[in-house]
Amino acid sequence: MAKSDPLDAEVGTGAVTTAVPARLDRLPWSRWHWMIVIGLGTVWILDGLEVTVVGNIAGRLAEEGSGLPITSAQVTGVAAALYVAGACSGALFFGWLTDRYGRKKLFIITLAVYLAATALTAVSFSSWWFFIFRFLTGFGIGGEYAAINSAIDELIPSKYRGRIDLIINGSFWLGAVGGSLLSIVMLDTDVFAADVGWRLTFALGVVFGLAILLVRRHVPESPRWQFIHGQGDEAEKLVSEVEEEIRAEKGTELPPPAGEITIHTRRSIGFGTIARTVFSHYRRRAVLGLALFIGQAFLYNAITFGFGAILTTFFDIPTGSTGYYFAVIALGNFFGPLLLGRFFDTVGRRVMISGTYILSGLLLFGTAWLFDNGHLTATTLTACWCVVLFFASAGASSAYLTVSEVFPMETRAMAIAFFYAIGTAAGGISGPLIFAKLTESGVVGDTVLAFQLGAGLMTLAGLVAVFLAVPAERRSLEDIATPLSARAAQTARAAGAARAARPAG
């Protein structure tokens, strides 16, 4: 139960002691947790669907009769860059709002922004209209990353947090598989007219999103956010209701919570405090986050940015058939987090994060050597990519897990947003500038260099993780990084004790 601190007069009227975090962490897996996963996690499938479909319909949009005066280069260049810019700015903007106004309000708002922008993209009649709503679609998706990852980590028990976070982030690739196969059907002019199929594809994304929104309405606010922001009674009521529901489902009593935490309630936190906390107090963890995000961004660009060009240029694969190959490597991406996720909670974060990064980097170096020596076909190259990305996807997903759990709760959404924006910018801005010329030149050595650059940065990030990764497995978020509000309470308590010990007069 949340109760006034016995040293209220010394700590301040906003000080409360609560067992809410420990009560959430000791819950067994239940139907309530599945509701959280479905309501919040399935949007990454939509993201994967969205990104893949747009890449695949670029050629169709540029054709005569598409109903949209735009070139393929504008779709993959200008529109893609605007989507990335939208995602980066949306992550930062909504990340700040998420820490200030709560997880629930923002994961509803960001999905609404995404749905509205996608629907308006479907009715594009001019290139400028298409560009504006690609930016706004990215704006909503970027906000989703901050709002959802923070909510998931705060609602999922510590025993399962690693695997669930990895699987949810990895589900992006399940959407990519669907996007690859869906585009083949939707762009078939024997099925849909040239100016209809691509519009229906976007409309289908809206339908899926509305279904997710209906489920998401039932996902609660994070009790951890509530008690820090002076809503202790609401947090207590919510956790009590969840406990009662799980007792009825399991037919057993729940184990006692492991402990309590005293915090000093606060309404908001400024950018200055966030920056000092992340880059001064947690400097090593900030270096780790940057290394992980930049490493995975460059490895993925080394493979996926020139994916179609490599297959068509070096192996004469028709453009219309590259979607099948992409569906295969997308499956490899999905099964990595799905099958390896539980080891992040059992073997541990440091071993698994560094291991997946270094192994995927070394495997890509090996793929580069085989490609350079002419030992690969389109099929065997795709198989190599599939194996590389099986491990890389688990590693990349663990980057999101890492930055969402190693910083204090008050900075969590903003930290996710910042590192996501850095990684997305590295992948979406510098990545294309570097890899476009390398993979599309038609020179084997250039493509080998692209592979080696991505592999090198991924391996380097893995080595950073060997020394800096935080052993966060099965630990409460408050144990990994003490909330700033708890520090404030501790400081106030210490000051009160010092005043009490001071001689009178």
Side-chain angles (χ1 to χ4, degrees), residues 63-64 69 89 123 135 145 153 165 208 211 216 246 250 269 297 299 337 347 360 364 368 377 387 402 405 407 441:
E63 292 176 2
E64 190 75 27
S89 54
V123 297
F135 175 86
Y145 275 94
D153 280 0
D165 202 298
F208 289 156
R216 188 173 288 186
I246 293 177
K250 302 297 182 182
I269 182 170
L299 178 134
V347 175
S360 59
L364 186 54
T377 64
V387 175
T402 296
E405 66 181 0
F407 298 107
S441 68

Side-chain angles (χ1 to χ4, degrees), residues 108-123:
I108 295 293
I109 291 172
T110 53
L111 181 56
V113 170
Y114 166 81
L115 290 175
T118 301
L120 290 166
T121 302
V123 297

Side-chain angles (χ1 to χ4, degrees), residues 151-446:
I152 287 172
D153 280 0
E154 290 167 11
L155 292 169
I156 298 298
S158 56
K159 179 181 179 180
Y160 307 102
R161 188 174 63 240
R163 72 195 74 180
I164 295 301
D165 202 298
L166 259 70
I167 292 171
I168 286 175
N169 280 286
S171 68
F172 172 97
W173 294 101
L174 201 58
V177 174
S180 297
L181 300 179
L182 180 66
S183 62
I184 294 172
V185 176
M186 301 303 280
L187 298 183
D188 187 344
T189 52
D190 292 333
V191 180
F192 298 105
D195 62 342
V196 172
W198 67 269
R199 298 183 190 275
L200 289 178
T201 303
F202 284 113
L204 193 58
V206 174
V207 173
F208 289 156
L210 286 172
I212 294 172
L213 186 60
L214 291 175
V215 178
R216 188 173 288 186
R217 290 185 304 117
H218 301 290
V219 177
E221 179 57 85
S222 163
R224 284 177 155 104
W225 183 90
Q226 286 178 320
F227 74 72
I228 280 183
H229 288 78
Q231 301 174 23
D233 291 341
E234 292 89 336
E236 289 290 335
K237 180 181 178 183
L238 171 58
V239 174
S240 295
E241 290 173 351
V242 172
E243 289 172 332
E244 191 59 37
E245 179 182 327
I246 293 177
R247 284 192 193 95
E249 177 186 338
K250 302 297 182 182
T252 59
E253 279 299 313
L254 299 173
E260 297 178 326
I261 184 171
T262 299
I263 60 94
H264 195 79
T265 59
R266 61 198 305 160
R267 182 170 180 79
S268 63
I269 182 170
F271 277 117
T273 302
I274 292 173
R276 284 194 303 273
T277 300
V278 174
F279 296 105
S280 179
H281 297 202
Y282 291 96
R283 191 178 298 113
R284 289 165 60 90
R285 297 182 183 188
V287 170
L288 172 67
L290 288 172
L292 295 182
F293 267 89
I294 292 174
Q296 61 88 23
F298 274 88
L299 178 134
Y300 270 92
N301 270 276
I303 294 176
T304 60
F305 188 81
F307 174 83
I310 293 170
L311 291 179
T312 56
T313 301
F314 296 105
F315 302 106
D316 297 322
I317 300 299
T319 302
S321 299
T322 58
Y324 294 107
Y325 291 87
F326 189 82
V328 172
I329 67 168
L331 279 174
N333 274 287
F334 174 65
F335 280 112
L338 180 67
L339 299 179
L340 298 177
R342 66 189 183 94
F343 297 112
F344 285 77
D345 286 322
T346 54
V347 175
R349 303 284 201 266
R350 176 171 285 135
V351 171
M352 293 304 299
I353 294 172
S354 60
T356 51
Y357 267 75
I358 292 172
L359 185 55
S360 59
L362 294 177
L363 287 169
L364 186 54
F365 273 124
T367 301
W369 182 85
L370 292 171
F371 181 79
D372 191 29
N373 287 277
H375 297 315
L376 298 175
T377 64
T379 301
T380 54
L381 176 60
T382 301
C384 287
W385 281 337
C386 208
V387 175
V388 169
L389 295 175
F390 175 85
F391 294 101
S393 182
S397 295
S398 73
Y400 292 94
L401 169 66
T402 296
V403 299
S404 68
E405 66 181 0
V406 300
F407 298 107
M409 206 208 86
E410 298 89 340
T411 69
R412 181 163 296 121
M414 198 62 210
I416 296 168
F418 174 79
F419 290 104
Y420 168 76
I422 292 294
T424 302
I429 299 173
S430 58
L433 291 175
I434 295 171
F435 293 115
K437 293 181 180 179
L438 292 177
T439 57
E440 294 176 2
S441 68
V443 178
V444 170
D446 288 346

Side-chain angles (χ1 to χ4, degrees), residues 34-45:
W34 278 118
M35 182 265 292
I36 301 296
V37 170
I38 294 170
L40 297 182
T42 46
V43 76
W44 295 160
I45 298 177

